Amino acid sequence: MKRREFLKKAGTGAAAAVAATTVMAPAVIAKKTYRWKMVTTWPPKLPVLQTGAVRFAKRVEECSGGRLKIKVYAAGELVPAFNTFDAVSQGTVQCGSAASYYWAGKMPASQWFCAVPFGLNADGMSAWLHEGGGLKLWEETYAPFNVIPRPGGSTGVQMGGWFNKKINKISDFKGLKFRIPGLGGKVVAKAGGTVVLTPGGEIFTNLERGVIDATEWVGPLHDLRMGFWQAAKYYYYPGWHEPGSILELSFNKKAYESLPKDLQQIIDAVCGEMEQWTLAQFNAQNGAALQTLIDKHHVNLVQFPKKVMDALRKFSEEVVAEEAAKDKMATKVNNSFQKFRKVIGTWGEVSEKAYYNNIEKPYPLKVKG
Ligand code: CA
C-alpha cells in the first residue's frame, strides 16, 4: 500500500497526521548510530591479525548500513597490548581483538579457547567451540568480567619458533630465554626454559639484543614480515604448542546488550565471516611465505626431533592437568575439551591423518643446502 493511499484510508487531517507519526516513529529510532572503539594486542598493520580487526570493523559498518561504526586502535595506540582485556571489561572501549591465552593470569580456563599443546587443530577447535559446547564455556568463563567472547578465526598450525642454537634433545631448553605464551610456555618452563611474554611489537628487538634467545610467533607469513630470519639461525617446525590457535573478538557485555537485536546479530554474523576469512588467509599465504624465507633469506628450516617432541608431549600432558586443577572453571573446560578431542579423534584418524600419510607430496618442500 502506498503511503498516500494509506493516509487516505487512515483518515484525514489530525487523525492522519497522528497515524503517520506512529507508523514512521520506529524507523527514526532504528537509525541511531553507535560509535565504538576496538583495541587490539597487535602491532599496527600486522597482516591478518590487525588488518583482520580493521576488516571486522569495516564489515560491521557495511552490514549495518553505517549504524555501527567501530574505530580500531592497534596495540599501544590507546592502551598497551596486554591491557586490552581490562579496557573491554571496564567498558573504557566496547570491543577488542586478541588471543585468549594472554589472559591466563586472570583465568586459567581462558587458555583452552586459544591453544592447547598437542591439542585440537583449526578444524577441531571450530567443531568444539560451535558444536561441542566450547563457546558456551568461553562465555561462562568471561561472564564475571562482563565480556562476551567470539572466535575470530584460526591461525592453523603455527611454527615451532626461531632459535640461535639447535634443539637436539629436551635438555637444550634448559636456561633458554624463550618468548612463548600460553600453555606452551608452561611446557617450556617445565623443560627448564625461562619463559618471557612479550607483545608482538617488541619481539624482534629483544631477540636481536639477546634479551631473549628464542621466540615463537605465528607462521611463515607473519614471521617473514617480522624479519626474525635476521636475528635467529634456525626456524623450527611444527608448532606443537599452537596446533590451531583461535583469535579472539571480545565485547563489553553492557555495550553489546545495549545494541538493538539486529546489530547484535550483525556482529555475530561478521565474527562468523571472520573465522572463515582468517583461516583462508593463513592457508593461502603461509606456503609462499615459507618458500620466500627459504629461497630469498636462506633460512635453516629444521624439524624438532621425534625424541624432543615425545618429551614435550609428556610435559604438555602434565601442564594441562596442572592448569586444569587450578580452578573449577578450568577443570570444567578441560573436561569438555578432552572428551570432545576423543570423540572427533576417531574420525580424524581415518580421514585427515590417513589421507596425509598417503598423499604423494604434491607440493614438496624445496629446502636449499
Ligand atoms: Ca604463537
Side-chain angles (χ1 to χ4, degrees):
M1 192 189 291
K2 284 181 182 165
R3 189 164 176 268
R4 188 185 294 261
E5 288 168 26
F6 173 81
L7 289 177
K8 221 183 213 173
K9 288 191 181 178
T12 52
V18 169
T21 306
T22 310
V23 168
M24 297 306 286
V28 173
I29 290 164
K31 276 183 183 167
K32 178 175 174 182
T33 300
Y34 294 82
R35 292 179 193 278
W36 278 16
K37 287 174 186 165
M38 172 182 261
V39 288
T40 82
T41 49
W42 320 118
K45 295 187 180 155
L46 187 72
V48 192
L49 306 174
Q50 182 65 17
T51 61
V54 172
R55 184 186 186 277
F56 169 79
K58 183 170 170 274
R59 289 291 295 141
V60 167
E61 187 168 337
E62 283 171 358
C63 293
S64 68
R67 288 161 57 212
L68 178 50
K69 296 178 194 290
I70 304 173
K71 189 164 167 46
V72 182
Y73 298 87
E77 287 178 353
L78 202 60
V79 295
F82 294 144
N83 289 12
T84 55
F85 186 87
D86 287 342
V88 175
S89 173
Q90 289 155 10
T92 315
V93 298
Q94 293 76 21
C95 48
S97 163
S100 65
Y101 57 21
Y102 290 146
W103 325 128
K106 292 180 195 298
M107 34 183 171
S110 73
Q111 299 168 102
W112 276 261
F113 308 113
C114 181
V116 173
F118 297 94
L120 294 165
N121 64 4
D123 288 344
M125 286 299 288
S126 170
W128 176 56
L129 289 169
H130 293 293
E131 296 299 323
L135 180 54
K136 283 203 170 60
L137 289 170
W138 196 356
E139 288 172 341
E140 194 181 327
T141 304
Y142 281 16
F145 298 90
N146 298 311
V147 176
I148 296 173
R150 291 286 178 263
S154 174
T155 64
V157 182
Q158 298 200 358
M159 285 295 283
W162 298 83
F163 297 77
N164 271 313
K165 67 167 194 176
K166 280 221 173 169
I167 303 293
N168 296 317
K169 48 193 187 308
I170 193 71
S171 60
D172 288 332
F173 279 104
K174 276 197 181 127
L176 193 79
K177 284 177 280 174
F178 191 6
R179 183 268 174 199
I180 175 170
L183 293 166
K186 295 183 175 82
V187 174
V188 168
K190 220 175 230 297
T194 303
V195 177
V196 184
L197 186 51
T198 312
E202 297 163 26
I203 305 173
F204 182 84
T205 313
N206 286 350
L207 188 62
E208 199 181 34
R209 292 179 185 168
V211 176
I212 53 173
D213 302 315
T215 186
E216 70 78 60
W217 179 226
V218 190
L221 173 66
H222 289 83
D223 294 7
L224 170 65
R225 168 107 182 188
M226 297 283 263
F228 293 140
W229 46 273
Q230 296 169 82
K233 282 185 200 161
Y234 306 107
Y235 194 22
Y236 270 85
Y237 72 98
W240 54 273
H241 61 302
E242 297 199 55
S245 299
I246 295 292
L247 303 173
E248 153 184 298
L249 291 162
S250 62
F251 303 90
N252 175 272
K253 193 164 180 283
K254 203 175 153 194
Y256 181 93
E257 287 175 353
S258 72
L259 294 174
K261 279 275 180 282
D262 66 326
L263 288 185
Q264 291 178 9
Q265 289 191 4
I266 284 171
I267 283 182
D268 286 357
V270 176
C271 286
E273 184 184 297
M274 288 308 297
E275 288 192 71
Q276 191 270 339
W277 180 87
T278 301
L279 186 57
Q281 295 302 311
F282 282 105
N283 284 335
Q285 299 187 59
N286 268 334
L290 179 62
Q291 211 53 63
T292 301
L293 282 166
I294 294 166
D295 292 346
K296 196 174 165 194
H297 303 304
H298 310 291
V299 161
N300 291 302
L301 190 69
V302 194
Q303 188 171 7
F304 283 118
K306 174 89 170 56
K307 269 188 184 171
V308 171
M309 289 295 271
D310 288 345
L312 289 169
R313 190 168 53 248
K314 191 178 152 286
F315 284 141
S316 296
E317 283 163 10
E318 290 172 17
V319 162
V320 168
E322 285 163 14
E323 288 295 304
K326 276 190 173 170
D327 66 28
K328 276 185 188 168
M329 198 65 223
T331 306
K332 194 172 169 183
V333 171
N334 185 47
N335 287 346
S336 163
F337 187 91
Q338 301 301 345
K339 193 176 152 199
F340 192 78
R341 197 175 156 197
K342 278 182 195 154
V343 173
I344 64 159
T346 314
W347 170 233
E349 191 75 22
V350 299
S351 57
E352 303 286 338
K353 192 174 175 187
Y355 175 72
Y356 278 111
N357 283 344
N358 285 287
I359 52 173
E360 284 285 325
K361 293 188 180 170
Y363 312 105
L365 194 61
K366 287 177 269 174
V367 183
K368 279 191 177 174

